[in-house]
Amino acid sequence: MTFALWIKLNTHTSCHILDLRKVPGTTTEVGYQPLYYNTSSGIQIYGSAGGSSYIPCSLGTDWHHLVVTLESNLAVLYLDGVKKGQTSLNGLEKVVHATIGCRATGTNPCPGIIQDVRIYNHALNKAEIKELARAK
């Protein structure tokens, strides 16, 4: 599975960009937040099952293309067409609900614009991801 989107923050602040859940609408950590932006650490690929990896970067207030591919319990993050990091996450095949721009509970909203959100039922390859990032 692949999630791809363009993002432009209005303010440089920490926020959830993408939240995946095994059970929709839950308030407990019964899922994953594979794209969380932390202003001091970068983008975090996070799995409540234990996998977590911060990818150092700064989004600032410019447009950026973000992609996360999920395949064989591996989450891979691309920023502007370049692979930035990966982490293993258990139970990805059970994801049934995606929230874009905040947590599934509606908290920690992303201040800015998220557009051209694309969800693919397979992991895109590097060439496909680079092509999406060039299509500004």
PDB file of all heavy atoms in Angstrom, residues 73-99:
ATOM      1  N   ASN A  73       5.226  -5.593   6.296  1.00  0.00           N
ATOM      2  CA  ASN A  73       5.534  -5.045   7.617  1.00  0.00           C
ATOM      3  C   ASN A  73       6.691  -4.048   7.617  1.00  0.00           C
ATOM      4  O   ASN A  73       7.354  -3.861   8.629  1.00  0.00           O
ATOM      5  CB  ASN A  73       5.798  -6.163   8.631  1.00  0.00           C
ATOM      6  CG  ASN A  73       4.537  -6.946   8.916  1.00  0.00           C
ATOM      7  OD1 ASN A  73       3.437  -6.430   8.813  1.00  0.00           O
ATOM      8  ND2 ASN A  73       4.693  -8.211   9.265  1.00  0.00           N
ATOM      9  N   LEU A  74       6.908  -3.393   6.485  1.00  0.00           N
ATOM     10  CA  LEU A  74       7.946  -2.378   6.382  1.00  0.00           C
ATOM     11  C   LEU A  74       7.326  -1.079   5.881  1.00  0.00           C
ATOM     12  O   LEU A  74       6.611  -1.056   4.879  1.00  0.00           O
ATOM     13  CB  LEU A  74       9.036  -2.830   5.414  1.00  0.00           C
ATOM     14  CG  LEU A  74      10.265  -1.941   5.314  1.00  0.00           C
ATOM     15  CD1 LEU A  74      11.035  -1.953   6.630  1.00  0.00           C
ATOM     16  CD2 LEU A  74      11.158  -2.415   4.180  1.00  0.00           C
ATOM     17  N   ALA A  75       7.576   0.010   6.612  1.00  0.00           N
ATOM     18  CA  ALA A  75       7.124   1.340   6.203  1.00  0.00           C
ATOM     19  C   ALA A  75       8.351   2.118   5.735  1.00  0.00           C
ATOM     20  O   ALA A  75       9.346   2.204   6.446  1.00  0.00           O
ATOM     21  CB  ALA A  75       6.455   2.061   7.365  1.00  0.00           C
ATOM     22  N   VAL A  76       8.269   2.669   4.518  1.00  0.00           N
ATOM     23  CA  VAL A  76       9.376   3.425   3.936  1.00  0.00           C
ATOM     24  C   VAL A  76       8.888   4.842   3.648  1.00  0.00           C
ATOM     25  O   VAL A  76       7.825   5.026   3.047  1.00  0.00           O
ATOM     26  CB  VAL A  76       9.894   2.761   2.644  1.00  0.00           C
ATOM     27  CG1 VAL A  76      11.075   3.540   2.079  1.00  0.00           C
ATOM     28  CG2 VAL A  76      10.282   1.315   2.901  1.00  0.00           C
ATOM     29  N   LEU A  77       9.662   5.842   4.065  1.00  0.00           N
ATOM     30  CA  LEU A  77       9.307   7.245   3.889  1.00  0.00           C
ATOM     31  C   LEU A  77      10.146   7.881   2.794  1.00  0.00           C
ATOM     32  O   LEU A  77      11.368   7.725   2.771  1.00  0.00           O
ATOM     33  CB  LEU A  77       9.523   8.018   5.188  1.00  0.00           C
ATOM     34  CG  LEU A  77       9.311   9.530   5.087  1.00  0.00           C
ATOM     35  CD1 LEU A  77       7.826   9.855   4.975  1.00  0.00           C
ATOM     36  CD2 LEU A  77       9.925  10.238   6.268  1.00  0.00           C
ATOM     37  N   TYR A  78       9.462   8.624   1.903  1.00  0.00           N
ATOM     38  CA  TYR A  78      10.118   9.401   0.855  1.00  0.00           C
ATOM     39  C   TYR A  78       9.706  10.856   1.030  1.00  0.00           C
ATOM     40  O   TYR A  78       8.539  11.162   1.257  1.00  0.00           O
ATOM     41  CB  TYR A  78       9.693   8.931  -0.535  1.00  0.00           C
ATOM     42  CG  TYR A  78      10.125   7.526  -0.866  1.00  0.00           C
ATOM     43  CD1 TYR A  78       9.389   6.435  -0.424  1.00  0.00           C
ATOM     44  CD2 TYR A  78      11.259   7.286  -1.629  1.00  0.00           C
ATOM     45  CE1 TYR A  78       9.780   5.138  -0.729  1.00  0.00           C
ATOM     46  CE2 TYR A  78      11.660   5.991  -1.934  1.00  0.00           C
ATOM     47  CZ  TYR A  78      10.912   4.931  -1.486  1.00  0.00           C
ATOM     48  OH  TYR A  78      11.306   3.645  -1.785  1.00  0.00           O
ATOM     49  N   LEU A  79      10.662  11.773   0.903  1.00  0.00           N
ATOM     50  CA  LEU A  79      10.402  13.204   0.963  1.00  0.00           C
ATOM     51  C   LEU A  79      10.919  13.816  -0.332  1.00  0.00           C
ATOM     52  O   LEU A  79      12.106  13.677  -0.658  1.00  0.00           O
ATOM     53  CB  LEU A  79      11.099  13.824   2.167  1.00  0.00           C
ATOM     54  CG  LEU A  79      10.975  15.342   2.313  1.00  0.00           C
ATOM     55  CD1 LEU A  79       9.525  15.757   2.529  1.00  0.00           C
ATOM     56  CD2 LEU A  79      11.840  15.836   3.459  1.00  0.00           C
ATOM     57  N   ASP A  80      10.013  14.440  -1.079  1.00  0.00           N
ATOM     58  CA  ASP A  80      10.359  15.068  -2.357  1.00  0.00           C
ATOM     59  C   ASP A  80      11.074  14.098  -3.295  1.00  0.00           C
ATOM     60  O   ASP A  80      12.047  14.442  -3.981  1.00  0.00           O
ATOM     61  CB  ASP A  80      11.202  16.325  -2.126  1.00  0.00           C
ATOM     62  CG  ASP A  80      10.428  17.366  -1.325  1.00  0.00           C
ATOM     63  OD1 ASP A  80       9.203  17.478  -1.526  1.00  0.00           O
ATOM     64  OD2 ASP A  80      11.046  18.068  -0.500  1.00  0.00           O
ATOM     65  N   GLY A  81      10.591  12.852  -3.317  1.00  0.00           N
ATOM     66  CA  GLY A  81      11.101  11.843  -4.242  1.00  0.00           C
ATOM     67  C   GLY A  81      12.341  11.103  -3.795  1.00  0.00           C
ATOM     68  O   GLY A  81      12.826  10.219  -4.494  1.00  0.00           O
ATOM     69  N   VAL A  82      12.861  11.418  -2.606  1.00  0.00           N
ATOM     70  CA  VAL A  82      14.087  10.796  -2.107  1.00  0.00           C
ATOM     71  C   VAL A  82      13.771   9.957  -0.872  1.00  0.00           C
ATOM     72  O   VAL A  82      13.134  10.438   0.066  1.00  0.00           O
ATOM     73  CB  VAL A  82      15.140  11.872  -1.748  1.00  0.00           C
ATOM     74  CG1 VAL A  82      16.394  11.229  -1.178  1.00  0.00           C
ATOM     75  CG2 VAL A  82      15.469  12.727  -2.965  1.00  0.00           C
ATOM     76  N   LYS A  83      14.250   8.698  -0.872  1.00  0.00           N
ATOM     77  CA  LYS A  83      14.042   7.828   0.292  1.00  0.00           C
ATOM     78  C   LYS A  83      14.796   8.402   1.483  1.00  0.00           C
ATOM     79  O   LYS A  83      15.992   8.675   1.411  1.00  0.00           O
ATOM     80  CB  LYS A  83      14.540   6.413  -0.001  1.00  0.00           C
ATOM     81  CG  LYS A  83      14.333   5.459   1.169  1.00  0.00           C
ATOM     82  CD  LYS A  83      14.838   4.071   0.829  1.00  0.00           C
ATOM     83  CE  LYS A  83      14.769   3.155   2.021  1.00  0.00           C
ATOM     84  NZ  LYS A  83      15.285   1.810   1.712  1.00  0.00           N
ATOM     85  N   LYS A  84      14.065   8.594   2.608  1.00  0.00           N
ATOM     86  CA  LYS A  84      14.662   9.190   3.804  1.00  0.00           C
ATOM     87  C   LYS A  84      14.847   8.203   4.945  1.00  0.00           C
ATOM     88  O   LYS A  84      15.642   8.438   5.835  1.00  0.00           O
ATOM     89  CB  LYS A  84      13.803  10.367   4.295  1.00  0.00           C
ATOM     90  CG  LYS A  84      13.814  11.538   3.346  1.00  0.00           C
ATOM     91  CD  LYS A  84      15.197  12.137   3.277  1.00  0.00           C
ATOM     92  CE  LYS A  84      15.239  13.380   2.447  1.00  0.00           C
ATOM     93  NZ  LYS A  84      16.548  14.006   2.449  1.00  0.00           N
ATOM     94  N   GLY A  85      14.072   7.110   4.965  1.00  0.00           N
ATOM     95  CA  GLY A  85      14.208   6.152   6.044  1.00  0.00           C
ATOM     96  C   GLY A  85      13.116   5.118   6.028  1.00  0.00           C
ATOM     97  O   GLY A  85      12.180   5.191   5.223  1.00  0.00           O
ATOM     98  N   GLN A  86      13.237   4.147   6.930  1.00  0.00           N
ATOM     99  CA  GLN A  86      12.244   3.076   7.017  1.00  0.00           C
ATOM    100  C   GLN A  86      12.228   2.494   8.415  1.00  0.00           C
ATOM    101  O   GLN A  86      13.158   2.695   9.189  1.00  0.00           O
ATOM    102  CB  GLN A  86      12.544   1.983   5.990  1.00  0.00           C
ATOM    103  CG  GLN A  86      13.835   1.242   6.252  1.00  0.00           C
ATOM    104  CD  GLN A  86      14.187   0.276   5.141  1.00  0.00           C
ATOM    105  OE1 GLN A  86      13.985   0.549   3.973  1.00  0.00           O
ATOM    106  NE2 GLN A  86      14.707  -0.884   5.523  1.00  0.00           N
ATOM    107  N   THR A  87      11.154   1.781   8.717  1.00  0.00           N
ATOM    108  CA  THR A  87      11.043   1.069   9.981  1.00  0.00           C
ATOM    109  C   THR A  87      10.084  -0.095   9.801  1.00  0.00           C
ATOM    110  O   THR A  87       9.237  -0.088   8.900  1.00  0.00           O
ATOM    111  CB  THR A  87      10.574   1.998  11.119  1.00  0.00           C
ATOM    112  OG1 THR A  87      10.711   1.318  12.372  1.00  0.00           O
ATOM    113  CG2 THR A  87       9.133   2.431  10.942  1.00  0.00           C
ATOM    114  N   SER A  88      10.209  -1.114  10.630  1.00  0.00           N
ATOM    115  CA  SER A  88       9.286  -2.246  10.556  1.00  0.00           C
ATOM    116  C   SER A  88       8.085  -1.982  11.455  1.00  0.00           C
ATOM    117  O   SER A  88       8.215  -1.410  12.539  1.00  0.00           O
ATOM    118  CB  SER A  88       9.975  -3.546  10.964  1.00  0.00           C
ATOM    119  OG  SER A  88      10.465  -3.452  12.273  1.00  0.00           O
ATOM    120  N   LEU A  89       6.914  -2.353  10.956  1.00  0.00           N
ATOM    121  CA  LEU A  89       5.659  -2.199  11.697  1.00  0.00           C
ATOM    122  C   LEU A  89       4.890  -3.501  11.590  1.00  0.00           C
ATOM    123  O   LEU A  89       4.722  -4.032  10.501  1.00  0.00           O
ATOM    124  CB  LEU A  89       4.809  -1.067  11.099  1.00  0.00           C
ATOM    125  CG  LEU A  89       5.423   0.327  11.067  1.00  0.00           C
ATOM    126  CD1 LEU A  89       4.508   1.272  10.310  1.00  0.00           C
ATOM    127  CD2 LEU A  89       5.648   0.836  12.473  1.00  0.00           C
ATOM    128  N   ASN A  90       4.413  -4.012  12.699  1.00  0.00           N
ATOM    129  CA  ASN A  90       3.643  -5.257  12.687  1.00  0.00           C
ATOM    130  C   ASN A  90       2.170  -4.982  12.462  1.00  0.00           C
ATOM    131  O   ASN A  90       1.637  -3.977  12.897  1.00  0.00           O
ATOM    132  CB  ASN A  90       3.833  -6.003  14.005  1.00  0.00           C
ATOM    133  CG  ASN A  90       5.256  -6.463  14.192  1.00  0.00           C
ATOM    134  OD1 ASN A  90       5.913  -6.859  13.242  1.00  0.00           O
ATOM    135  ND2 ASN A  90       5.750  -6.396  15.413  1.00  0.00           N
ATOM    136  N   GLY A  91       1.489  -5.901  11.777  1.00  0.00           N
ATOM    137  CA  GLY A  91       0.041  -5.842  11.625  1.00  0.00           C
ATOM    138  C   GLY A  91      -0.473  -4.891  10.569  1.00  0.00           C
ATOM    139  O   GLY A  91      -1.631  -4.502  10.590  1.00  0.00           O
ATOM    140  N   LEU A  92       0.354  -4.506   9.602  1.00  0.00           N
ATOM    141  CA  LEU A  92      -0.094  -3.552   8.597  1.00  0.00           C
ATOM    142  C   LEU A  92      -1.266  -4.067   7.773  1.00  0.00           C
ATOM    143  O   LEU A  92      -2.088  -3.299   7.308  1.00  0.00           O
ATOM    144  CB  LEU A  92       1.062  -3.186   7.660  1.00  0.00           C
ATOM    145  CG  LEU A  92       2.178  -2.374   8.292  1.00  0.00           C
ATOM    146  CD1 LEU A  92       3.305  -2.184   7.296  1.00  0.00           C
ATOM    147  CD2 LEU A  92       1.654  -1.034   8.756  1.00  0.00           C
ATOM    148  N   GLU A  93      -1.350  -5.358   7.600  1.00  0.00           N
ATOM    149  CA  GLU A  93      -2.436  -5.918   6.789  1.00  0.00           C
ATOM    150  C   GLU A  93      -3.805  -5.723   7.434  1.00  0.00           C
ATOM    151  O   GLU A  93      -4.825  -5.903   6.798  1.00  0.00           O
ATOM    152  CB  GLU A  93      -2.190  -7.409   6.520  1.00  0.00           C
ATOM    153  CG  GLU A  93      -2.381  -8.313   7.724  1.00  0.00           C
ATOM    154  CD  GLU A  93      -1.221  -8.277   8.729  1.00  0.00           C
ATOM    155  OE1 GLU A  93      -0.184  -7.685   8.455  1.00  0.00           O
ATOM    156  OE2 GLU A  93      -1.388  -8.880   9.810  1.00  0.00           O
ATOM    157  N   LYS A  94      -3.855  -5.304   8.694  1.00  0.00           N
ATOM    158  CA  LYS A  94      -5.124  -5.149   9.404  1.00  0.00           C
ATOM    159  C   LYS A  94      -5.644  -3.717   9.421  1.00  0.00           C
ATOM    160  O   LYS A  94      -6.662  -3.435  10.021  1.00  0.00           O
ATOM    161  CB  LYS A  94      -4.973  -5.656  10.831  1.00  0.00           C
ATOM    162  CG  LYS A  94      -4.641  -7.135  10.903  1.00  0.00           C
ATOM    163  CD  LYS A  94      -4.422  -7.600  12.313  1.00  0.00           C
ATOM    164  CE  LYS A  94      -4.021  -9.061  12.313  1.00  0.00           C
ATOM    165  NZ  LYS A  94      -3.589  -9.499  13.619  1.00  0.00           N
ATOM    166  N   VAL A  95      -4.940  -2.789   8.779  1.00  0.00           N
ATOM    167  CA  VAL A  95      -5.375  -1.395   8.774  1.00  0.00           C
ATOM    168  C   VAL A  95      -6.706  -1.276   8.023  1.00  0.00           C
ATOM    169  O   VAL A  95      -6.855  -1.765   6.913  1.00  0.00           O
ATOM    170  CB  VAL A  95      -4.315  -0.489   8.115  1.00  0.00           C
ATOM    171  CG1 VAL A  95      -4.846   0.909   7.905  1.00  0.00           C
ATOM    172  CG2 VAL A  95      -3.067  -0.461   8.975  1.00  0.00           C
ATOM    173  N   VAL A  96      -7.689  -0.622   8.670  1.00  0.00           N
ATOM    174  CA  VAL A  96      -9.010  -0.478   8.046  1.00  0.00           C
ATOM    175  C   VAL A  96      -9.480   0.968   7.972  1.00  0.00           C
ATOM    176  O   VAL A  96     -10.515   1.243   7.388  1.00  0.00           O
ATOM    177  CB  VAL A  96     -10.083  -1.307   8.790  1.00  0.00           C
ATOM    178  CG1 VAL A  96      -9.768  -2.790   8.721  1.00  0.00           C
ATOM    179  CG2 VAL A  96     -10.233  -0.855  10.228  1.00  0.00           C
ATOM    180  N   HIS A  97      -8.734   1.902   8.559  1.00  0.00           N
ATOM    181  CA  HIS A  97      -9.190   3.288   8.612  1.00  0.00           C
ATOM    182  C   HIS A  97      -8.000   4.233   8.518  1.00  0.00           C
ATOM    183  O   HIS A  97      -7.015   4.052   9.217  1.00  0.00           O
ATOM    184  CB  HIS A  97      -9.943   3.519   9.929  1.00  0.00           C
ATOM    185  CG  HIS A  97     -10.590   4.852  10.024  1.00  0.00           C
ATOM    186  ND1 HIS A  97     -10.002   5.919  10.652  1.00  0.00           N
ATOM    187  CD2 HIS A  97     -11.764   5.305   9.539  1.00  0.00           C
ATOM    188  CE1 HIS A  97     -10.799   6.973  10.569  1.00  0.00           C
ATOM    189  NE2 HIS A  97     -11.870   6.622   9.901  1.00  0.00           N
ATOM    190  N   ALA A  98      -8.081   5.221   7.639  1.00  0.00           N
ATOM    191  CA  ALA A  98      -7.019   6.220   7.507  1.00  0.00           C
ATOM    192  C   ALA A  98      -7.591   7.604   7.782  1.00  0.00           C
ATOM    193  O   ALA A  98      -8.678   7.933   7.306  1.00  0.00           O
ATOM    194  CB  ALA A  98      -6.419   6.172   6.106  1.00  0.00           C
ATOM    195  N   THR A  99      -6.872   8.402   8.560  1.00  0.00           N
ATOM    196  CA  THR A  99      -7.236   9.791   8.823  1.00  0.00           C
ATOM    197  C   THR A  99      -6.106  10.662   8.308  1.00  0.00           C
ATOM    198  O   THR A  99      -4.943  10.428   8.633  1.00  0.00           O
ATOM    199  CB  THR A  99      -7.443  10.034  10.327  1.00  0.00           C
ATOM    200  OG1 THR A  99      -8.435   9.129  10.804  1.00  0.00           O
ATOM    201  CG2 THR A  99      -7.892  11.466  10.587  1.00  0.00           C
TER     202      THR A  99
END
